[in-house]
Amino acid sequence: MRVLVTGGAGYIGSHTCVALTEKGFEPVVFDNFCNASPEAIRRVEGIVGRNIPVIEGDVRNRRALLDAIESHGIEAVIHFAALKSVGESVAHPLSYFDNNITGTITLLDAMQGASVHRLVFSSSATVYGQAERVPATEDSALSVTNPYGRTKLVMEQLIGDLCTAQPAFGAMILRYFNPVGAHPSGRIGEDPKGIPNNLMPYIAQVAVGRRDRLGIFGNDWPTADGTGVRDFIHVMDLAHAHVAALRGLDQHKGATVLNIGTGKGTSVLELVRAFESASGRQVPYAFAERRPGDVAELWADPTRAEQVLGWRAEHGIERMCEDTWRWQSAYPEGYA
Ligand code: NAD
Ligand code: WQD
């Protein structure tokens, strides 16, 4: 099956291209490279030993999408392309609405125009907002705490409405928790531009000497060690969830929402210690103020993903740290 992978040069997209190819799918990458390097796809090609077609294009361009779908005989779409920085979305909401929501509407319209009816969509645990209880199930209350989160919630709803109106459509809406780690080869990994917003790339850049110390946002949360608790999931486990979701689309019509996490919470301090032990490096840190909008703890109930897809996460926190370190230490400056 030929699969259009929007945002396929990005962090999760590039790892998913490896998993897809290894499982016999043929990914075709569609990316405008606003937050990625073409080098990522060259490395993916090196890992899998095959060429991967790459189209430089924007998901807000219907014509470019239709050309890509028709010229490559596309049968399914995995839609990663989005802007994803919470802070940036607060400062520039319109560009998030345009890129993420307009981009998704344009993609759905192009898919309908080309009679492609299988979609796997990147949603996020951000839709649980200030989660009332943990673990979060797919039926937990949803809320919005920032414009990025609003775009994910709106996109989920748009996809749901389309699947209701057009029974030929099937969508797997995957709510990722906290993706971390890298391909075990160490040749591809997460390469954030500028100062990392997220914890794992920040820890990795401190360990490799690019940054002096980690700021830990709060040590007075109501958790066992006072630091925030999250459900970190290995990016290769996440990549395999996409393969399972594509396979599952033929049995499950309509829109299916699934949590993609491990079901285990790890605190910020536990992750720092696991990284020190995996890397053999010190990760100096200092406690800082709580970050606005953060929650004390959030982890997934991933039961439904196992029931529906037969998928569950395999890798623990140690492996996530080892693989991140292999990538970060081999390429301290990322793809640069
Ligand atoms: P990423 O920024 O590495 O990848 C996104 C890719 O989309 C990039 O290659 C970028 O160049 C491309 N892109 C952005 N806008 C585009 C457009 N208009 N047209 C074409 N390409 C465009 O991010 P990622 O971490 O790989 O995230 C992938 C998806 O998963 C996103 O939808 C993100 O919101 C979602 N997600 C990410 C996380 C996370 O923590 N990384 C968590 C939950 C959900
Ligand atoms: C994890 C923990 C921080 C950085 C974000 C998005 C979410 C989703 C995943 C896309 C928290 C603490 C962090 C640092 C720290 N993305 N931290 N120092 O906030 O759970 O989720 O990424 O959909 O929408 O909000 O992840 O990695 O930013 O933070 O102490 O320098 O690490 O306070 O407790 P988060 P994160």
Side-chain angles (χ1 to χ4, degrees):
M1 186 191 287
R2 291 191 186 154
V3 184
L4 191 73
V5 185
T6 77
Y11 171 45
I12 303 168
S14 55
H15 291 78
T16 301
C17 284
V18 173
L20 286 169
T21 311
E22 286 175 347
K23 299 293 179 189
F25 293 85
E26 294 180 41
V28 174
V29 169
F30 187 97
D31 200 302
N32 69 359
F33 295 102
C34 69
N35 196 37
S37 163
E39 176 64 14
I41 296 301
R42 284 194 283 277
R43 303 254 182 106
V44 169
E45 290 176 329
I47 293 169
V48 300
R50 291 182 64 139
N51 287 342
I52 294 183
V54 179
I55 297 148
E56 184 165 354
D58 195 296
V59 288
R60 291 163 294 182
N61 182 340
R62 183 176 188 274
R63 187 67 255 166
L65 285 167
L66 273 174
D67 286 348
I69 290 172
E70 281 161 6
S71 62
H72 287 277
I74 295 297
E75 294 163 87
V77 176
I78 305 182
H79 181 32
F80 293 108
L83 301 180
K84 63 163 182 177
S85 160
V86 170
E88 190 182 63
S89 81
V90 174
H92 303 287
L94 287 179
S95 67
Y96 273 67
F97 300 154
D98 183 39
N99 203 86
N100 295 4
I101 299 176
T102 309
T104 298
I105 295 171
T106 310
L107 174 67
L108 294 172
D109 189 37
M111 288 174 68
Q112 182 167 265
S115 298
V116 173
H117 297 128
R118 296 184 185 96
L119 175 68
V120 179
F121 175 68
S122 300
S123 191
S124 166
T126 194
V127 298
Y128 296 116
Q130 297 284 333
E132 288 161 355
R133 60 191 160 84
V134 284
T137 71
E138 290 81 354
D139 301 321
S140 294
L142 305 181
S143 69
V144 163
T145 53
N146 56 69
Y148 167 73
R150 188 178 306 285
T151 69
K152 288 290 172 194
L153 198 52
V154 168
M155 293 184 286
E156 284 197 0
Q157 291 165 340
L158 296 174
I159 293 165
D161 286 348
L162 181 63
C163 289
T164 305
Q166 307 258 334
F169 263 93
M172 291 284 172
I173 295 176
L174 307 185
R175 291 181 180 156
Y176 318 153
F177 278 67
N178 290 62
V180 298
H183 187 267
S185 67
R187 292 166 75 183
I188 57 171
E190 186 170 13
D191 181 22
K193 291 199 169 122
I195 300 170
N197 296 312
N198 297 117
L199 179 62
M200 182 66 113
Y202 207 109
I203 291 175
Q205 290 191 10
V206 171
V208 85
R210 270 175 77 176
R211 306 198 180 272
D212 290 342
R213 72 174 58 183
L214 171 73
I216 295 184
F217 301 141
N219 62 345
D220 56 354
W221 293 101
T223 59
D225 65 21
T227 65
V229 171
R230 295 292 184 275
D231 187 339
F232 299 98
I233 173 159
H234 196 295
V235 67
M236 290 310 302
D237 279 333
L238 182 53
H240 287 114
H242 290 77
V243 174
L246 273 181
R247 290 185 173 140
L249 276 170
D250 286 334
Q251 293 95 56
H252 299 275
K253 289 294 156 205
T256 306
V257 176
L258 299 172
N259 282 343
I260 305 295
T262 63
K264 294 193 190 77
T266 301
S267 77
V268 173
L269 274 177
E270 285 170 337
L271 190 67
V272 168
R273 291 197 188 105
F275 202 92
E276 288 182 330
S277 132
S279 65
R281 297 278 181 103
Q282 290 280 105
V283 178
Y285 62 81
F287 291 116
E289 292 293 297
R290 289 183 181 187
R291 185 172 63 178
D294 272 355
V295 292
E297 50 186 13
L298 183 61
W299 63 88
D301 178 343
T303 309
R304 193 183 290 174
E306 181 155 15
Q307 286 167 346
V308 172
L309 303 180
W311 169 91
R312 72 172 158 186
E314 303 285 341
H315 300 311
I317 217 75
E318 293 75 19
R319 179 68 189 272
M320 299 181 213
C321 293
E322 283 161 20
D323 288 341
T324 303
W325 179 241
R326 195 172 298 108
W327 149 253
Q328 188 72 67
S329 54
Y331 301 99
E333 303 296 329
Y335 295 113

